[in-house]
Amino acid sequence: MPSDAPQAVRDICERCVGRIGAPISALREVAATLGAIEQAHMETVADVFNLSVAEVRGIVSFYSDLRTEPAGRRHIRLCQAEACQAVGARELTAAAQEKLGIALGETAADGSVSLEAVYCLGLCASGPSAMVDGRPLARATIKALFA
Ligand code: FES
């Protein structure tokens, strides 16, 4: 984390002021820029947008993309919603957990990979669906996840 992170967060927030959904936009940019949203970042966002820290924490806790812990260098998200479950998401998840030695919601101790649940990626007709490093993957297989 750069030592000027608090100022970086304030700069991000100030660029977002006046936009629709400005606090969410700012938090997304903070997460993308700094890798995770820390308590101090939430306090800065609350200050700039005249919100309580609890309100900002509520936003962060609602959106899974607003991470409070850094993701692994490789970030795998597996859809766990019904349409994907009907076509093998549970089996794919079990295979991925076994291959990586981590459970959903965990990051490998060496930071190499994180495995996360997601609830619908909009690829319901082509499940099981995944997102690997931000790229959607339809009809995901264990082989395709690690290609
Ligand atoms: S249910 Fe998995 S992508 Fe929609």
Side-chain angles (χ1 to χ4, degrees), residues 3-69:
S3 60
D4 60 348
Q7 187 58 49
V9 172
R10 188 165 293 279
D11 291 346
I12 289 168
C13 291
E14 289 173 356
R15 283 196 302 272
C16 293
V17 168
R19 291 188 200 167
I20 294 172
I24 296 172
S25 296
L27 287 163
R28 286 182 57 122
E29 191 171 337
V30 168
T33 303
L34 302 176
I37 302 167
E38 298 178 356
Q39 176 67 24
H41 303 155
M42 290 187 241
E43 292 168 7
T44 300
V45 171
D47 181 50
V48 171
F49 293 105
N50 197 27
L51 299 168
S52 70
V53 176
E55 288 172 305
V56 174
R57 189 174 299 113
I59 295 169
V60 170
S61 66
F62 185 80
Y63 294 101
S64 63
D65 283 347
L66 300 178
R67 305 184 63 82
T68 55
E69 300 287 333

Side-chain angles (χ1 to χ4, degrees), residues 78-85 87 89 118-130:
L78 300 174
C79 182
Q80 303 295 304
E82 287 81 1
C84 285
Q85 282 188 28
V87 290
V118 65
Y119 296 90
C120 197
L121 292 162
L123 299 168
C124 315
S126 305
S129 302

Side-chain angles (χ1 to χ4, degrees), residues 67-132:
R67 305 184 63 82
T68 55
E69 300 287 333
R73 291 185 294 283
R74 188 127 207 250
H75 186 200
I76 299 172
R77 303 171 84 190
L78 300 174
C79 182
Q80 303 295 304
E82 287 81 1
C84 285
Q85 282 188 28
V87 290
R90 288 185 181 147
E91 295 79 4
L92 179 64
T93 299
Q97 290 178 130
E98 184 174 331
K99 181 172 177 69
L100 297 172
I102 58 175
L104 279 180
E106 292 183 347
T107 299
D110 64 0
S112 61
V113 63
S114 54
L115 192 60
E116 188 171 272
V118 65
Y119 296 90
C120 197
L121 292 162
L123 299 168
C124 315
S126 305
S129 302
M131 185 162 294
V132 180

